[in-house]
């Protein structure tokens, strides 16, 4: 029987935890500082590996600090979500179908929000004979 600490977690979950720690800090963090912020029992080498992978993906940038590095997010959480959405669209050969299915699965509130973002504000446009 293994303890919760010894069970493997999905890489995406670990990356999300590391990113949350970086965003919360608001300043570049070393792997050791990220490890202490997580307080999860992860080895520092594991945190370093996760940060290195995030750097390779372009999600964090690193700054030289002594003999090691400190890491900082390249984007805020919303920017990262948008980037992931673009990445998924770029992987699909049929972008139109992928977008159509995405839109078809939106909740009514999200659909309304998307329409508001895509359509110009009709109240702000000059009417006929104005402007």
């Amino acid at each position: 029987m293994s303890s919760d600490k010894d069970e493997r977690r999905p890489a995406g979950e670990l990356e999300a935890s590391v990113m949350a720690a970086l965003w919360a800090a608001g300043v570049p963090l070393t792997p050791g500082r990220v490890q202490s912020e997580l307080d999860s029992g992860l080895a520092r080498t594991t945190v370093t590996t996760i940060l290195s992978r995030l750097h390779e993906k372009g999600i964090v940038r690193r700054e030289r600090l002594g003999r090691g590095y400190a890491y900082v997010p390249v984007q805020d959480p919303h920017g990262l979500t948008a980037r992931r959405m673009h990445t998924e669209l770029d992987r699909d050969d049929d972008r139109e179908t992928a977008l159509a299915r995405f839109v078809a699965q939106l909740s009514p509130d999200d659909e309304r929000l998307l329409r508001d973002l895509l359509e110009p504000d009709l109240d702000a446009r000059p009417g006929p004979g104005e402007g």
Side-chain angles (χ1 to χ4, degrees):
M1 191 187 296
S2 66
S3 70
D4 289 348
K5 181 177 161 183
D6 295 333
E7 290 183 28
R8 294 186 56 85
R9 287 176 273 184
E13 181 183 322
L14 294 174
E15 287 182 1
S17 297
V18 167
M19 290 304 298
L22 291 172
W23 283 316
V27 296
L29 296 180
T30 63
R33 278 291 309 276
V34 172
Q35 178 192 26
S36 66
E37 294 294 322
L38 293 175
D39 192 32
S40 64
L42 287 175
R44 191 186 58 74
T45 54
T46 301
V47 174
T48 301
T49 299
I50 293 165
L51 287 164
S52 295
R53 288 180 181 159
L54 290 169
H55 179 258
E56 289 169 8
K57 294 177 183 180
I59 295 171
V60 299
R61 82 171 187 277
R62 62 186 182 192
E63 304 170 356
R64 192 51 104 168
L65 186 65
R67 294 188 310 175
Y69 293 102
Y71 295 82
V72 64
V74 172
Q75 297 176 320
D76 66 10
H78 307 297
L80 183 56
T81 298
R83 177 185 170 152
R84 286 179 176 150
M85 293 167 71
H86 279 284
T87 299
E88 289 303 315
L89 278 174
D90 290 344
R91 288 182 184 158
D92 200 306
D93 292 335
D94 189 353
R95 191 176 192 100
E96 182 177 349
T97 299
L99 278 170
R101 291 195 179 159
F102 174 78
V103 170
Q105 295 174 12
L106 290 174
S107 70
D109 288 342
D110 285 344
E111 184 178 345
R112 200 169 14 265
L113 177 60
L114 185 58
R115 284 186 191 280
D116 290 346
L117 292 169
L118 292 174
E119 296 175 356
D121 186 1
L122 297 177
D123 294 332
R125 287 198 275 170
E130 296 177 13

